[in-house]
Amino acid sequence: MGIERKFVQDGLTKARINEYFTKQLERAGYGGMVINRTPMGTQITLFAEKPGMVIGKGGKTIHRLTNDMSYVYNVDNPQIDVQEIKVPELNAQMMANRLANALERGWYFRKAGYNMLRRIMDSGALGCEIVLSGKFTGPRSKVSKMVEGYIKHAGKPAEELVDTGFATAVKKLGTIGCRVRIVQPGTELPGKFYMLKDEKPAASETPEPEAKAKEGIKEVLEKTPEKSGMKNIRQVGSVWEHTHDDLDWHPMSVPHPAATAVPVTEVTEEEPAAAVEAESTVEAKTAVEAEPSMETVDKPVQSPDIELPEGEQTRINDGLEEHKHEGYDYWHPSSRTHKTKGDEN
């Protein structure tokens, strides 16, 4: 036998074995098989929802399956192992069998397909595809496809990462094929990439404009009347008001009338009252000397160089002699040269 014929024969044998297990273990919830060839023989792993029904009472069922593999399908030294399916919704073969049973019981094909699709995706599958083909409601055959999530359709990832199950539903109008393909949760899909987050830049020595603005706001808040310990102050909207003496609340920006400043001197026990009086007297004299001297003399002041007419008023302002002519309201220095009648402009 050529190598090509051997590969074809092995594929055909595997398909016949899968069909045999599907019929024999339908009540046990058959979910597929895996065949591995070893030097000791052929290892067959069966997946079922109820492993106890596959083994049978005293191992009777599993012995019968082993003999059939050896004598009917010519499998070399078969060894059957059974594993339990913990999440049936993530097994494609089991979901295909349940979908075929639902169609045989009379479920509408679209309702049965979407109901099964929702259950599979709610179990955490990354993607699911359900394809129904056959005579649904009329004499003509048609295909209905329901897809959700991410599914690979070609290449090696489609063979290794996608779990596929197939079952048939026999109805009066004809046979309906049910194919279910599931991408298991946690599968590393090819071509998937991740975005790396940029590291935080080092803090620059120069403060940013936002930092400067925040510092300025902080300084203004610290300088508010509430922070400085002032009393009888309140804020109405954006206006600060205060009250003092017998006045009612008024804005702080309103100018107050100037009050006569009365010097107040604290008298301690060590300083006698006479010393306080002496200090107040010296301060009063200093204030009088600081004020500009302004005297108005009704009598004319005789100057050695300037002759003033009679009836004029004279005064001394900041050490400068000024006078005012009769009939005029402004003062001017007495030393100014006066024009007489007849002088040209």
Side-chain angles (χ1 to χ4, degrees):
M1 181 185 295
I3 190 68
E4 295 85 358
R5 289 179 179 271
K6 183 177 184 304
F7 289 151
V8 173
Q9 187 64 34
D10 290 344
L12 180 60
T13 303
K14 185 176 179 180
R16 291 172 59 193
I17 293 173
N18 186 33
E19 184 178 357
Y20 169 79
F21 284 136
T22 302
K23 294 180 179 180
Q24 296 294 328
L25 304 176
E26 182 179 1
R27 295 180 56 188
Y30 174 70
M33 69 169 185
V34 175
I35 300 177
N36 294 322
R37 304 187 187 278
T38 64
M40 300 298 295
T42 305
Q43 181 72 30
I44 301 176
T45 304
L46 301 179
F47 299 95
E49 186 178 4
K50 302 175 183 178
M53 296 184 65
V54 177
I55 297 173
K57 186 176 181 181
K60 182 179 180 180
T61 306
I62 196 168
H63 284 302
R64 178 172 56 84
L65 296 175
T66 304
N67 293 330
D68 290 346
M69 292 295 104
S70 178
Y71 295 106
V72 176
Y73 298 100
N74 297 325
V75 177
D76 183 22
N77 191 15
Q79 298 176 4
I80 298 177
D81 184 21
V82 184
Q83 293 186 6
E84 181 183 3
I85 299 175
K86 297 182 179 180
V87 185
E89 287 76 11
L90 296 178
N91 186 275
Q93 183 61 44
M94 190 174 296
M95 290 296 101
N97 294 335
R98 291 185 180 183
L99 182 59
N101 293 334
L103 294 176
E104 290 178 353
R105 291 196 304 268
W107 279 50
Y108 186 62
F109 73 95
R110 191 171 286 114
K111 179 181 178 181
Y114 279 107
N115 187 20
M116 192 66 63
L117 182 68
R118 191 182 311 110
R119 290 178 59 184
I120 294 172
M121 295 303 297
D122 291 344
S123 300
L126 298 181
C128 178
E129 179 188 43
I130 296 177
V131 180
L132 302 177
S133 177
K135 295 181 179 180
F136 300 119
T137 57
R140 284 196 172 187
S141 175
K142 58 182 180 180
V143 179
S144 177
K145 182 184 293 186
M146 289 152 276
V147 183
E148 186 173 351
Y150 183 84
I151 287 288
K152 293 292 292 184
H153 296 277
K156 190 174 181 181
E159 298 177 359
E160 296 180 352
L161 304 180
V162 181
D163 186 16
T164 304
F166 179 80
T168 57
V170 181
K171 300 187 68 176
K172 292 182 179 180
L173 294 177
T175 302
I176 299 176
C178 307
R179 182 179 297 277
V180 179
R181 306 175 73 231
I182 300 174
V183 177
Q184 301 293 331
T187 303
E188 289 293 335
L189 301 174
K192 187 176 181 180
F193 60 90
Y194 302 91
M195 299 295 293
L196 298 177
K197 296 182 179 180
D198 295 337
E199 297 181 358
K200 294 183 179 179
S204 57
E205 297 180 359
T206 57
E208 299 180 356
E210 296 182 359
K212 291 182 179 180
K214 292 181 180 179
E215 292 179 0
I217 294 173
K218 187 176 181 180
E219 292 178 1
V220 172
L221 293 177
E222 291 178 353
K223 292 181 180 179
T224 56
E226 295 180 358
K227 300 289 183 180
S228 60
M230 299 178 66
K231 299 180 180 179
N232 299 331
I233 293 176
R234 68 181 182 183
Q235 184 179 9
V236 179
S238 60
V239 180
W240 285 95
E241 297 182 350
H242 68 170
T243 179
H244 54 84
D245 299 336
D246 297 333
L247 299 178
D248 197 0
W249 292 94
H250 59 278
M252 298 178 65
S253 59
V254 175
H256 297 73
T260 57
V262 179
V264 179
T265 307
E266 296 182 0
V267 180
T268 60
E269 296 179 356
E270 297 178 358
E271 298 180 359
V276 177
E277 293 179 359
E279 291 180 1
S280 61
T281 305
V282 172
E283 292 177 358
K285 289 181 179 181
T286 305
V288 171
E289 292 176 357
E291 294 180 357
S293 60
M294 186 178 296
E295 298 178 359
T296 303
V297 182
D298 294 336
K299 295 181 181 181
V301 178
Q302 297 295 334
S303 175
D305 299 335
I306 303 173
E307 295 181 0
L308 298 176
E310 297 181 358
E312 293 184 356
Q313 298 180 359
T314 307
R315 71 178 183 183
I316 297 175
N317 184 14
D318 292 339
L320 181 64
E321 183 179 351
E322 297 179 350
H323 68 210
K324 181 174 65 173
H325 296 279
E326 185 178 359
Y328 295 92
D329 294 334
Y330 64 92
W331 295 84
H332 62 275
S334 301
S335 60
R336 179 183 296 177
T337 304
H338 296 76
K339 293 182 180 181
T340 58
K341 292 181 180 181
D343 293 342
E344 295 181 358
N345 293 334

